[in-house]
């Protein structure tokens, strides 16, 4: 297995596979319009990558970087290639590409009353096994969905987290979507 990252643009041969994977991997309320991700990826602090094993498309990721923090906004492995080690390899590749950065991501809160509790436990175990740990806070969205914030090296402060999203959204939009962080 030789995983590589390829920058995504509208002309990439697998762009439709990427869009389908995106649409089918994340709840609609967590999806930023794909055209907006493509637009933002032209900025030097947003990376939108397709994941390939040699020439085989296996997934994609969207990363936001601010100073020494790289946030995994999205990471998805195609269903037909799951449970083959690609998720762990993708995280290793991200850490390799940003060696001096703390890598941060959100996962749905592991809550025993959640319908998909087992899936959430499995996801959290995967990230813990890959070197992540809980930060000191959680994210509460407008719709009351709760997310655990995980980090792989050191810790992240609420201020750093908010600054990262302010950079991604811009000041004006940030006022309307400012994440609510719970200790």
């Amino acid at each position: 297995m030789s995983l590589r990252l390829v920058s995504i643009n509208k002309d990439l041969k697998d762009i439709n596979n990427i869009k389908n994977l995106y649409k089918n991997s994340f709840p609609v309320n967590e999806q930023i319009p794909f055209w907006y991700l493509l637009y933002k990826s032209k900025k030097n602090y947003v990376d939108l990558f397709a994941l390939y094993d040699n020439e085989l498309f296996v997934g994609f990721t969207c990363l936001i970087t601010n100073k020494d923090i790289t946030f995994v906004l999205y990471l998805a492995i195609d269903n037909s290639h799951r449970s083959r080690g690609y998720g762990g390899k993708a995280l290793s590749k991200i850490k390799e590409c940003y060696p001096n950065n703390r890598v941060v991501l959100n996962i749905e809160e592991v809550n025993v009353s959640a319908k998909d509790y087992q899936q959430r436990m499995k996801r959290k175990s995967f990230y813990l096994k890959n070197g992540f740990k809980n930060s000191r806070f959680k994210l509460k969205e407008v719709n009351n969905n709760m997310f655990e914030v995980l980090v792989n090296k050191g810790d992240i402060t609420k201020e750093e987290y908010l600054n990262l999203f302010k950079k991604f959204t811009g000041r004006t939009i940030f006022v309307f979507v400012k994440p609510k962080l719970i200790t």
Side-chain angles (χ1 to χ4, degrees):
M1 178 185 313
S2 177
L3 202 64
R4 62 189 177 93
L5 306 177
V6 175
S7 291
I8 296 172
N9 62 52
K10 63 181 179 60
D11 299 320
L12 188 70
K13 67 176 178 149
D14 285 304
I15 192 69
N16 289 329
N17 293 334
I18 294 163
K19 288 178 182 178
N20 287 332
L21 178 57
Y22 178 63
K23 185 175 136 186
N24 295 317
S25 296
F26 303 97
V28 173
N29 66 324
E30 292 178 22
Q31 292 180 24
I32 296 170
F34 196 79
W35 65 264
Y36 188 73
L37 294 178
L38 283 170
Y39 165 74
K40 281 300 212 177
S41 71
K42 293 176 183 169
K43 306 288 185 184
N44 66 353
Y45 55 88
V46 177
D47 291 307
L48 191 57
F49 291 124
L51 305 169
Y52 286 92
D53 183 359
N54 293 312
E55 297 306 311
L56 178 67
F57 169 73
V58 296
F60 84 98
T61 190
C62 182
L63 309 167
I64 306 166
T65 299
N66 187 38
K67 298 181 181 175
D68 70 330
I69 298 168
T70 297
F71 182 79
V72 180
L73 181 61
Y74 297 110
L75 173 61
I77 303 299
D78 188 271
N79 281 338
S80 62
H81 303 300
R82 288 192 184 146
S83 300
R84 296 184 185 175
Y86 287 119
K89 286 283 188 192
L91 290 173
S92 293
K93 197 70 169 172
I94 291 166
K95 293 174 197 174
E96 180 184 310
C97 290
Y98 305 88
N100 299 319
N101 289 11
R102 292 167 283 166
V103 178
V104 179
L105 53 86
N106 297 337
I107 60 169
E108 292 172 304
E109 180 182 41
V110 177
N111 183 329
V112 292
S113 62
K115 290 183 222 173
D116 60 348
Y117 171 74
Q118 292 299 326
Q119 181 185 27
R120 291 179 186 201
M121 278 297 298
K122 185 176 176 182
R123 186 176 295 126
K124 185 170 184 177
S125 294
F126 165 78
Y127 286 114
L128 294 176
K129 183 178 81 175
N130 281 280
F132 288 81
K133 65 175 185 145
N134 283 323
S135 70
R136 296 182 184 146
F137 56 89
K138 294 181 181 180
L139 166 68
K140 183 176 185 179
E141 290 190 332
V142 178
N143 58 10
N144 289 325
N145 287 341
M146 289 288 288
F147 292 86
E148 296 181 31
V149 179
L150 306 181
V151 60
N152 81 317
K153 289 193 289 193
D155 212 343
I156 183 171
T157 66
K158 289 181 179 181
E159 182 181 35
E160 289 173 316
Y161 189 92
L162 293 173
N163 286 338
L164 179 115
F165 277 94
K166 189 182 292 180
K167 185 173 187 175
F168 179 68
T169 61
R171 291 178 189 266
T172 305
I173 294 174
F174 183 77
V175 170
F176 297 103
V177 298
K178 182 178 177 182
K180 184 174 181 182
L181 304 177
I182 310 289
T183 306

